[in-house]
Amino acid sequence: MTASQAYPLRVVLYEGEGALPLDQGTRSVVLAALLDKGYATTVAGKGAIVRDNDVERLLVIGSFTAGNTPGLKDAEGKIEILTRDITGMDEVRVLETVESARNGRAMNQPGSWKPWFPVIDYDRCTNCMQCLSFCLFDVYGVDSDDKIQVQNNDNCKTNCPACSRVCPEVAIMFPKYSGGPINGEPVNNSDLEREKMKVDISSLLGGDIYSRLRERSEGAKSRFSKERDSDKALGERKKCLTKLAAQGDIPMEVLASLPSPEEIAIKVEEAGRKAKEALAKSKH
Amino acid sequence: MSKSPGIVYCRCAYAQVVADEVKDGVIKGLCASGRSFDAVSDLCEMSARKDPRLGAIARQDNVRIAACHPRAVKWLFHAAGVPLDDARTEIVNMREENAATATAKLLEDDDC
Ligand code: SF4
Ligand code: SF4
């Protein structure tokens, strides 16, 4: 699913001069409620400075003394500053106030999308390009120095850590994954040994998955057109995919959404060509 | 003398890999301390969207970040194009520490 790139509002919970501090309990409950809805919030007490012009719109909330909600303006005119008095409000009402100040502008919110994408540990990565050759969804690419890069986060299939399992250096992390070292835990020698013996996804299809698929795709036209036995073909595919899912920790829906063998063959050739070119250039 | 480190708390709100009791305990501890701090909904989400706020965090003189495994956090910032400076950054791992230890590490009074 595509992430919204917009971030419409940064909230400041202001407790400095001209405002009364919330009591401790209310402060943490209000803050947790805002964060759980996706709102980054700065808790600003006396003397706090809001650093950097990193947003276009700032919402300052606080328990302003005598209901005196200040009118604030950015001296440089770059940031729109809104203020709201939250005196006596519980977290539900604070949240309503913030939502109404957002005024329907798009933003990501927890529950609607999961930030799932590979993160490369360049202290470990050797630029071998296996991930680029492996991924069928164009998540990886190379930068202008032919260094491997995650280029299309949004193409990554949620909950699928398959590419981390083909990386010989255990350099690919998914921070939202449950177990280590994929989740970013330190990599130790036994992890490396284990990763060497990890499920060799290609071997599950009796050899190199891609050359097998290529072979299949070359013979596919005649075979599939002759057989037209879609049930059999589907059954075969499903058997392979179930085996992959069970041993490779790959969600079935990801495998089920793999492109057709023909499409895979084309993608593999493209990815292989890109990887080869990048490797050849980086050796010069 | 350098000023006290900035504090950034990550709520991990988009897929809770940090235990509730730890993240709730830490937020309570920070709120009780009276210190100013920044709280973000989810650093992974911000990295995916290359949020400019990450750059503002990375540029701080010194900063303590309460999130998850330091290796993941370090490379999430890098992925967003704003690498953290190891010498100026301390990452407190809420996936490993309990709430009391994590809070104490964030509020420790020395300069980082
Ligand atoms: S497979 Fe691993 S080591 Fe090879 S380029 Fe990809 S991330 Fe780097
Ligand atoms: S950085 Fe770690 S704690 Fe923060 S959102 Fe990502 S996985 Fe969760």
Side-chain angles (χ1 to χ4, degrees):
Chain A
M1 195 185 281
T2 305
S4 165
Q5 292 300 311
Y7 194 74
L9 200 66
R10 185 165 140 221
V11 181
V12 176
L13 174 55
Y14 179 72
E15 298 184 316
E17 219 163 288
L20 296 169
L22 304 186
D23 69 78
Q24 272 175 37
T26 311
R27 189 185 298 134
S28 59
V29 171
V30 163
L31 186 55
L34 289 171
L35 296 171
D36 287 340
K37 276 284 178 192
Y39 292 102
T41 304
T42 299
V43 178
K46 261 199 189 94
I49 316 161
V50 175
R51 286 168 293 256
D52 289 280
N53 296 343
D54 53 28
V55 279
E56 287 166 15
R57 200 169 296 104
L58 212 58
L59 171 65
V60 181
I61 57 173
S63 189
F64 298 109
T65 32
N68 236 344
T69 311
L72 299 174
K73 256 194 180 165
D74 173 26
E76 291 176 26
K78 287 186 186 153
I79 305 173
E80 182 190 353
I81 307 179
L82 313 169
T83 48
R84 298 286 185 274
D85 184 31
I86 56 161
T87 304
M89 290 186 186
D90 64 4
E91 76 277 11
V92 178
R93 286 192 54 215
V94 173
L95 209 47
E96 281 168 7
T97 306
V98 172
E99 296 271 38
S100 106
R102 174 162 69 96
N103 201 13
R105 292 177 186 93
M107 69 181 266
N108 291 324
Q109 289 199 296
S112 63
W113 170 76
K114 183 170 179 178
W116 180 271
F117 54 92
V119 177
I120 299 176
D121 174 346
Y122 287 97
D123 284 343
R124 305 194 63 84
C125 173
T126 56
N127 217 31
C128 73
M129 302 292 160
Q130 296 225 29
C131 48
L132 188 147
S133 314
F134 174 80
C135 178
L136 297 169
F137 304 104
D138 299 326
V139 169
Y140 296 91
V142 287
D143 66 12
S144 53
D145 296 326
D146 296 308
K147 200 168 158 194
I148 191 77
Q149 214 180 31
V150 176
Q151 285 182 343
N152 297 305
N153 283 349
D154 287 348
N155 285 7
C156 190
K157 302 295 167 191
T158 304
N159 295 337
C160 176
C163 58
S164 68
R165 298 186 181 280
V166 302
C167 172
E169 307 300 333
V170 202
I172 299 177
M173 297 174 279
F174 288 86
K176 301 287 197 197
Y177 189 71
S178 51
I182 294 175
N183 62 10
E185 265 175 28
V187 180
N188 55 38
N189 284 342
S190 64
D191 285 324
L192 266 177
E193 286 309 308
R194 196 175 62 226
E195 291 303 310
K196 272 185 198 145
M197 299 188 312
K198 74 196 151 193
V199 184
D200 178 356
I201 291 171
S202 59
S203 75
L204 290 171
L205 288 183
D208 169 18
I209 185 172
Y210 295 133
S211 54
R212 289 267 303 188
L213 288 166
R214 229 186 332 261
E215 277 163 27
R216 271 174 62 167
S217 114
E218 274 155 15
K221 281 184 200 93
S222 53
R223 189 157 60 90
F224 283 131
S225 55
K226 259 185 235 151
E227 283 179 4
R228 278 281 163 227
D229 185 352
S230 54
D231 282 355
K232 196 175 161 199
L234 270 176
E236 187 188 316
R237 190 175 165 91
K238 213 170 153 192
K239 212 167 112 190
C240 289
L241 296 181
T242 312
K243 206 168 165 188
L244 279 170
Q247 296 191 37
D249 191 18
I250 303 167
M252 260 321 277
E253 60 274 24
V254 169
L255 293 165
S257 69
L258 282 176
S260 68
E262 288 82 357
E263 287 165 328
I264 291 178
I266 293 166
K267 279 176 175 291
V268 167
E269 260 158 37
E270 260 172 37
R273 184 183 47 74
K274 269 198 231 163
K276 254 193 214 138
E277 277 175 14
L279 278 176
K281 275 202 232 160
S282 61
K283 275 181 193 143
H284 287 147
Chain B
M1 196 184 84
S2 66
K3 48 186 182 182
S4 346
I7 295 173
V8 177
Y9 164 91
C10 176
R11 181 75 178 163
C12 199
Y14 280 72
Q16 292 86 355
V17 299
V18 174
D20 283 349
E21 73 230 40
V22 179
K23 62 183 191 184
D24 287 345
V26 171
I27 208 172
K28 276 186 192 144
L30 289 176
C31 283
S33 74
R35 282 273 298 267
S36 297
F37 64 98
D38 281 313
V40 301
S41 187
D42 194 293
L43 283 172
C44 287
E45 187 268 343
M46 292 170 82
S47 173
R49 167 169 77 64
K50 302 203 172 11
D51 189 318
R53 181 92 201 109
L54 292 175
I57 294 169
R59 283 192 297 275
Q60 290 190 36
D61 284 345
N62 48 36
V63 63
R64 290 181 179 148
I65 302 173
C68 58
H69 298 296
R71 196 164 71 94
V73 178
K74 169 179 175 173
W75 294 107
L76 273 169
F77 274 79
H78 183 278
V82 287
L84 290 167
D85 180 339
D86 289 346
R88 292 188 279 123
T89 312
E90 194 182 327
I91 297 164
V92 176
N93 187 349
M94 294 194 293
R95 263 180 117 154
E96 293 280 317
E97 311 281 10
N98 63 33
T101 314
T103 312
K105 284 188 176 176
L106 289 168
L107 296 172
E108 224 169 44
D109 218 8
D110 58 351
D111 297 329
C112 68

